[in-house]
């Protein structure tokens, strides 16, 4: 099978190593490996004609590496699906580069990232130390793109010709850009902007800024360029949301969806009822929407589940405080209802109380609380007395 070394038969690769001008080179050490480095190595040295014969498994993907003090390849040469064939491997005279990254005031750009790019490959990708300097391993002579980046600084791209031992200095400048967060509650069909949410922006390089959202749900922070930020959005009654965002050198916007902290509420239609009367209880969620199939208990005994409207009706069989509890998933809430017998004192919160007078009774029998029946009886009695006196 192509790309594997499953077949055990061997084939011979005729490898010719040449310099930049196409001239064959002798005395160049070649190391061949396959199966992702698990197979081999098979080591050979080029002869006077620049050739080396290397036996490898047929059909293998073979990687050829050059080991020489004078000549190098930036990347290994790969032979796919090896068969008996002739291959020309070009090498270049080796060189090194020392790249000094500095800030606008000439100070070392500590921990700057320095990369050398050529022919579609990053040949070097390292972080400078406190001195802002990177010295490369031996690389091919030629022109390279040198890219220097550092959090809080604009990216610098420079072309450098590397020969022998080359030293170059690259300057980076500080800069900032706007990072805007738009915070909305996406519970609704049309997401609603959230005002006065707190947006905190932090980075590992030390930036820390906090701003509130405006009426349109947006908050903008000026942040250093070319860095990654942790954005945390908080608001009372809402769940905290965290986002990680990379900011380059252009204004960056992110959308943050938040929702209210999950909770349920249990509400009775009447908090004082007569013993054995029914009370209707309604369970709603954090958006005041009905919660169906919530389990409701009365003093610990289940009385049923809420319907599609989040409602359930239960009796209150005993006098005093009765505790109703609703459970939906891992959310629980309770409420109390006080039951009393007509004419008896009730107890609310441990204190004895007399039921409040209704529209048809008063506490002293005189006043606007007289019933129509009592008033009519008094009128009839007065009329009878008048007739007897005639």
């Amino acid at each position: 099978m192509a790309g594997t070394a499953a077949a055990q038969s061997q084939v011979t690769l005729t490898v010719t190593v040449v310099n930049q001008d196409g001239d064959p080179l002798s005395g160049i050490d070649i190391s061949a490996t396959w199966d992702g480095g698990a197979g081999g190595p098979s080591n050979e040295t080029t002869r006077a004609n620049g050739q080396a014969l290397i036996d490898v498994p047929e059909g293998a993907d073979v990687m050829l590496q050059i080991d020489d003090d004078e000549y190098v390849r930036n990347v290994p040469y790969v032979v796919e699906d090896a068969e008996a064939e002739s291959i020309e491997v070009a090498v270049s005279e080796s060189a090194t580069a020392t790249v000094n990254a500095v800030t606008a005031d000439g100070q070392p750009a500590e921990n700057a990232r320095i990369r050398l790019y050529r022919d579609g490959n990053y040949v070097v990708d390292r972080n400078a130390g406190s001195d802002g300097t990177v010295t490369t391993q031996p690389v091919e002579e030629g022109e390279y793109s040198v890219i220097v980046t550092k959090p809080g600084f604009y990216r610098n791209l420079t072309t450098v010709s590397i020969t022998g031992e080359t030293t170059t200095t690259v300057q980076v400048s500080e800069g900032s850009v706007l990072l805007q967060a738009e915070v909305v509650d996406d519970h609704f069909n049309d997401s609603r902007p959230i005002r006065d949410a707190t947006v905190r922006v932090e980075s590992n390089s030390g930036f820390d800024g906090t701003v509130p959202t405006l009426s349109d749900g947006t908050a903008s922070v000026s942040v250093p360029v070319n860095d990654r930020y942790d954005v945390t959005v908080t608001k009372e009654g809402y769940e905290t949301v965290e986002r990680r965002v990379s900011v380059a050198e252009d204004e960056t916007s992110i959308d943050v969806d938040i929702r209210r902290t999950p909770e349920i509420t249990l509400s009775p239609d009447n908090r004082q009822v007569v013993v054995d009367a029914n009370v209707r209880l309604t369970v709603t969620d954090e958006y005041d929407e009905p919660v169906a199939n919530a389990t409701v208990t009365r003093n610990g005994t289940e009385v049923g589940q809420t319907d599609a409207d989040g409602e359930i009706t239960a009796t209150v069989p005993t006098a005093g405080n009765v505790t109703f509890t609703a459970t939906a998933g891992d959310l629980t809430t309770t409420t109390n209802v006080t039951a009393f017998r007509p004419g008896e004192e009730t107890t609310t919160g441990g204190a004895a109380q007399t039921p409040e007078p209704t529209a048809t009774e008063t506490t002293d029998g005189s006043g606007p609380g007289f019933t129509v029946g009592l008033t009519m009886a008094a009128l009839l009695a007065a009329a009878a007395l008048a007739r007897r006196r005639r």
Side-chain angles (χ1 to χ4, degrees):
M1 179 183 294
T4 72
Q8 296 302 307
S9 60
Q10 299 289 297
V11 294
T12 300
L13 300 177
T14 302
V15 180
T16 302
V17 179
V18 299
N19 62 16
Q20 299 100 309
D21 298 323
D23 299 327
L25 297 172
S26 63
I28 304 295
D29 293 330
I30 306 173
S31 178
T33 57
W34 50 90
D35 288 346
S42 178
N43 299 318
E44 296 291 342
T45 302
T46 59
R47 300 188 292 271
N49 62 356
Q51 291 185 348
L53 303 178
I54 304 176
D55 292 331
V56 299
E58 183 177 13
D61 290 340
V62 180
M63 184 169 64
L64 303 176
Q65 291 181 297
I66 301 299
D67 183 12
D68 190 77
D69 293 335
E70 186 177 355
Y71 292 92
V72 297
R73 276 184 63 87
N74 286 340
V75 293
Y77 188 100
V78 177
V79 179
E80 296 182 350
D81 194 12
E83 58 185 28
E85 55 187 304
S86 296
I87 297 164
E88 185 175 275
V89 178
V91 296
S92 172
E93 290 187 41
S94 67
T96 60
T98 298
V99 180
N100 299 310
V102 298
T103 60
D105 57 3
Q107 297 301 308
E110 297 184 16
N111 303 316
R113 183 182 181 185
I114 298 175
R115 288 173 288 174
L116 271 66
Y117 186 83
R118 188 184 189 209
D119 297 333
N121 297 291
Y122 283 106
V123 179
V124 174
D125 187 349
R126 289 168 52 192
N127 285 341
S130 59
D131 60 357
T133 298
V134 163
T135 298
T136 71
Q137 75 277 11
V139 297
E140 299 172 6
E141 284 189 339
E143 286 198 347
Y144 289 80
S145 295
V146 178
I147 306 164
V148 179
T149 56
K150 177 179 170 65
F153 292 76
Y154 288 113
R155 174 178 178 265
N156 187 308
L157 172 61
T158 305
T159 299
V160 176
S161 180
I162 299 176
T163 58
E165 296 179 355
T166 299
T167 299
T168 187
T169 299
V170 179
Q171 179 180 294
V172 289
S173 302
E174 290 183 281
S176 61
V177 70
L178 281 181
L179 169 61
Q180 178 175 282
E182 182 176 0
V183 182
V184 299
D185 186 339
D186 66 343
H187 168 78
F188 306 97
N189 290 333
D190 294 325
S191 297
R192 299 179 182 178
I194 301 299
R195 182 174 186 170
D196 292 330
T198 298
V199 179
R200 183 173 184 179
V201 181
E202 302 172 275
S203 73
N204 290 334
S205 54
F207 180 86
D208 191 344
T210 301
V211 290
T213 55
L214 304 177
S215 59
D216 61 356
T218 63
S220 297
V221 186
S222 180
V223 299
V225 297
N226 292 317
D227 206 351
R228 291 196 299 176
Y229 295 91
D230 292 316
V231 179
T232 304
V233 178
T234 57
K235 181 176 173 63
E236 185 177 357
Y238 284 79
E239 294 186 290
T240 297
V241 174
E242 297 179 351
R243 292 278 303 275
R244 170 66 66 88
V245 58
S246 294
V247 175
E249 297 177 5
D250 298 314
E251 181 175 325
T252 302
S253 298
I254 60 172
D255 297 326
V256 182
D257 300 327
I258 65 174
R259 291 199 177 191
R260 293 177 183 171
T261 304
E263 65 174 0
I264 57 174
T265 302
L266 180 61
S267 303
D269 62 350
N270 197 338
R271 292 195 176 275
Q272 289 189 343
V273 298
V274 176
V275 172
D276 290 331
N278 289 333
V279 61
R280 186 173 69 252
L281 301 143
T282 304
V283 180
T284 54
D285 64 11
E286 62 276 11
Y287 287 95
D288 201 30
E289 296 176 351
V291 177
N293 301 317
T295 299
V296 177
T297 62
R298 180 186 57 224
N299 288 342
T301 301
E302 182 175 337
V303 294
Q305 293 186 322
T306 56
D307 59 19
D309 296 322
E311 297 181 349
I312 186 173
T313 299
T315 59
V316 185
T318 58
N321 282 341
V322 177
T323 299
F324 287 94
T325 301
T327 302
D330 57 356
L331 301 175
T332 299
T333 185
T334 62
T335 191
N336 290 323
V337 173
T338 302
F340 62 91
R341 300 183 188 281
E344 293 184 357
E345 290 186 341
T346 64
T347 302
T348 302
Q353 295 182 345
T354 300
E356 295 181 1
T358 66
T360 59
E361 63 179 358
T362 63
T363 55
D364 58 6
S366 61
F370 276 132
T371 65
V372 173
L374 291 176
T375 303
M376 291 298 298
L379 292 174
L380 291 173
L385 180 59
R387 283 195 300 269
R388 287 197 298 269
R389 288 177 178 176
R390 290 177 185 170

